[in-house]
Amino acid sequence: MTSLKAPAGNKIKLTQIPNFIDGSYTPALSNQTFETVNPATGEAHGLVAHGTAGDIDLAAEAANRAYETGPWAHLSYAERARVVSKIGDLILVNRERLALAETTDTGKPINESYDGDILRSAQNFHFFSQFASTFAEEAYSAGENERHIAVREPVGVCGLITPWNLPLYLATWKIAPCLMMGNSIVLKPAEWTPYTAYLLAEIVREAGLPDGVFNVVNGFGAGGAGEALTRHPLVRSISFTGETSTGKAIMAAASGSLKKVSFELGGKGANIIFADADLSEAIPTALRAAFRNQGQICLAGSRLFVERAIYDQVVEKLVGLVKKIKVGDPLSKETEMGALVSAEHMEKVLSYIEIGRAEGELHCGGERLEALGAGNFLSPAVFTGLPIGSRFLQEEIFGPALPILPFDSEEEAIAMANNSPYGLSASIWTSDINRVHRLSKKIKAGMIWVNTWFARDLRTPFGGQKSSGIGREGGRYSLEFFSEAKTISYRYKG
Ligand code: NAD
């Protein structure tokens, strides 16, 4: 990476972030905008089109026209792959610009944007452009001179609604398979982080995607553009990543027009370390799992359970490492933890830290770092002694605050891991392969890591059980969601 320059302090020029409808950037119908704020400085850096139901109408109509009349829905996988992989190529060409935009919007360290989010966004397009051609259709021969084939067709107009924690990464995780299956898209990015979706629209146009196939409407959720999208009669499916409570609201709104829904929701991952684990791996990984992206990751190992024989040792080592985390300017390459996404979110995290102080023991952190300026900087916190039923352990904090609890037996570890409304992911650290099998079977989560965290193969199913979601993304699971199966049965003369 060459040097990245931040906009100069008080001379910030506000970036205009319009909607993108039918191949053109366009202001909101109301001409209203709202500010998007840099979490590291507290200053506005962009003016975002405030889209509402009328803008969703325009985008859904453009998407539907493109679907009904355009070539995209009828192209072969190979023809679509040429455009979709070009989008991935252009993301790499624009890597620095996109990384800077992502960090300015989210407050995450620039290294994470540049080496993590933006690379993965390009990979999402490259992966699905190749993988879709392996998506087999089915054929059966039931009786003599009879053939039944099951084909896959586009769904039509798909609404994609995405969160602020990994904005481009998670939007492209939906956009790439959705495009490969021949659909048209209306994307509603999170209101806190609209910048990279705006830049992506330019890339999509340059890659040669026909007008109307990809549209972006900015705005808010409940009562705003997000809700309008979930109620729109032309929109046939909603793929949503965000909070569990929002998923429930979307399910109710989308039921009116009976849309397909796929939900990737909240998490409260258990990270379980047994005494026979390789602690030289387990402890630094527990640190990353709890504090990467300021703890704002659905897959975070946000509850750490440690076998009692090694409990004191793990707490001491981990607290030592947490105290050394470099919190600061997200644009500095030395920074390990940046700013939380918004002042509101920081207040929410601080309210949980108050619960932690009242009910348990604070070992480090938990302070607002005012010396770093007006940004949303918190020192990473570690707590022990909290009861398993505490709101601190039950609710998703989505911030840099980790509780550690001891356990005495395998059964107790399983019970603690499952003592949560969520069921997205869990990690198990042990050298006993039989224990791995027993725990993987009994822990209720969509993804289990053994002696690792965050490892992914994009072909495997990604998603959660219980309050963590409905459906799966990844590989053929995404392609199935973004397509309709149709059976064609025929007789022929023998
Ligand atoms: P959120 O639910 O507040 O917002 C997500 C998106 O939904 C935004 O674009 C928002 O404008 C929109 N929205 C809000 N209310 C809406 C409504 N009534 N109708 C339609 N759209 C609406 O979530 P967030 O705070 O942006 O993101 C953090 C959450 O996302 C956490 O709970 C986190 O665990 C979850 N998440 C889950 C995964 C996963 O893969 N399971 C990945 C990342 C984040």
Side-chain angles (χ1 to χ4, degrees):
M1 176 171 41
T2 54
S3 67
L4 291 170
K5 288 206 185 70
N10 56 6
K11 286 194 212 110
I12 293 174
K13 188 169 164 291
L14 294 185
T15 306
Q16 297 293 327
I17 300 184
N19 294 332
F20 183 76
I21 298 177
D22 212 6
S24 299
Y25 284 118
T26 159
L29 276 178
S30 65
N31 253 323
Q32 301 287 306
T33 55
F34 61 93
E35 288 184 340
T36 178
V37 171
N38 181 338
T41 62
E43 289 173 323
H45 69 89
L47 279 179
V48 189
H50 185 164
T52 53
D55 302 274
I56 290 289
D57 275 343
L58 290 180
E61 282 157 16
N64 194 51
R65 258 194 319 277
Y67 169 66
E68 293 290 349
T69 62
W72 188 252
H74 307 291
L75 296 180
S76 66
Y77 286 131
E79 286 167 315
R80 285 188 207 131
R82 266 195 288 280
V83 177
V84 169
S85 64
K86 179 93 187 280
I87 299 173
D89 297 345
L90 291 173
I91 288 177
L92 293 180
V93 170
N94 287 281
R95 188 169 163 195
E96 287 189 17
R97 194 169 160 228
L98 289 164
L100 183 54
E102 205 68 298
T103 285
T104 310
D105 249 3
T106 60
K108 71 176 65 191
I110 191 70
N111 286 343
E112 279 180 31
S113 293
Y114 189 80
D115 295 323
D117 294 36
I118 306 306
L119 267 193
R120 171 59 192 275
S121 301
Q123 193 194 0
N124 288 338
F125 287 102
H126 288 141
F127 167 74
F128 277 110
S129 70
Q130 295 298 311
F131 184 79
S133 66
T134 69
F135 190 40
E137 295 178 334
E138 300 155 70
Y140 303 94
S141 302
E144 211 180 320
N145 297 348
E146 226 177 69
R147 201 97 174 116
H148 305 263
I149 59 170
V151 298
R152 287 277 168 180
E153 296 183 343
V155 178
V157 180
C158 298
L160 313 182
I161 303 179
T162 48
W164 49 257
N165 64 325
L166 299 161
L168 192 66
Y169 177 138
L170 290 175
T172 55
W173 180 230
K174 298 182 190 300
I175 296 166
C178 192
L179 287 179
M180 279 310 297
M181 295 315 289
N183 301 288
S184 296
I185 292 171
V186 180
L187 169 69
K188 211 300 277 169
E191 50 271 41
W192 301 107
T193 55
Y195 202 169
T196 47
Y198 153 71
L199 296 177
L200 180 70
E202 188 183 307
I203 286 174
V204 159
R205 189 165 58 185
E206 192 184 336
L209 194 73
D211 290 351
V213 174
F214 177 70
N215 305 276
V216 184
V217 177
N218 292 293
F220 296 86
E227 185 176 336
L229 186 58
T230 63
R231 294 189 185 278
H232 203 284
L234 289 175
V235 176
R236 295 311 316 139
S237 79
I238 295 286
S239 176
F240 167 72
T241 299
E243 282 188 14
T244 298
S245 57
T246 311
K248 291 178 186 172
I250 291 178
M251 195 159 191
S255 70
S257 44
L258 215 63
K259 298 182 197 328
K260 285 175 95 168
V261 292
S262 163
F263 292 159
E264 297 293 342
L265 308 175
K268 190 80 179 177
N271 190 5
I272 308 168
I273 306 182
F274 284 91
D276 63 359
D278 176 355
L279 295 185
S280 70
E281 289 280 337
I283 295 174
T285 311
L287 183 85
R288 279 193 301 121
F291 298 108
R292 192 182 160 94
N293 204 28
Q294 298 70 247
Q296 303 166 136
I297 298 188
C298 55
L299 302 172
S302 49
R303 297 177 299 153
L304 180 56
F305 302 131
V306 182
E307 194 164 8
R308 198 174 299 273
I310 54 163
Y311 178 75
D312 290 339
Q313 182 193 349
V314 170
V315 171
E316 190 192 327
K317 283 212 174 115
L318 196 72
V319 169
L321 291 175
V322 172
K323 284 180 178 165
K324 286 193 199 140
I325 292 177
K326 291 192 192 100
V327 185
D329 179 5
L331 289 171
S332 160
K333 288 188 210 163
E334 272 69 56
T335 293
E336 293 166 330
M337 231 181 81
L340 275 73
V341 73
S342 66
E344 285 95 324
H345 185 59
M346 184 174 66
E347 288 306 322
K348 180 187 146 189
V349 174
L350 282 168
S351 74
Y352 283 100
I353 285 172
E354 282 315 304
I355 295 175
R357 284 180 201 272
E359 297 180 8
E361 185 190 344
L362 175 65
H363 289 257
C364 61
E367 301 289 343
R368 170 120 205 254
L369 297 172
E370 281 165 10
L372 292 174
N376 314 316
F377 294 101
L378 278 187
S379 52
V382 176
F383 289 89
T384 58
L386 285 156
I388 186 85
S390 166
R391 285 181 55 208
F392 199 101
L393 276 123
Q394 292 294 320
E395 297 175 10
E396 188 183 38
I397 300 173
F398 224 52
L402 177 70
I404 314 180
L405 265 68
F407 66 85
D408 290 302
S409 67
E410 216 174 277
E411 290 67 34
E412 196 187 3
I414 294 166
M416 287 162 90
N418 286 337
N419 190 336
S420 163
Y422 296 105
L424 189 58
S425 61
S427 289
I428 305 164
W429 293 85
T430 179
S431 51
D432 180 343
I433 186 71
N434 298 312
R435 173 182 279 156
V436 166
H437 282 289
R438 289 192 296 271
L439 265 84
S440 314
K441 213 166 152 183
K442 290 185 181 157
I443 292 176
K444 292 186 172 48
M447 289 160 287
I448 309 260
W449 288 292
V450 178
N451 297 330
T452 184
W453 173 74
F454 215 70
R456 286 278 297 130
D457 182 312
L458 303 189
R459 292 167 292 194
T460 57
F462 178 99
Q465 303 183 0
K466 303 199 287 187
S467 290
S468 289
I470 294 178
R472 296 290 182 273
E473 295 187 317
R476 72 182 170 83
Y477 302 88
S478 295
L479 302 180
E480 278 169 9
F481 178 74
F482 287 121
S483 62
E484 291 283 7
K486 180 186 275 179
T487 301
I488 307 171
S489 299
Y490 57 96
R491 288 187 64 77
Y492 56 93
K493 293 206 163 64

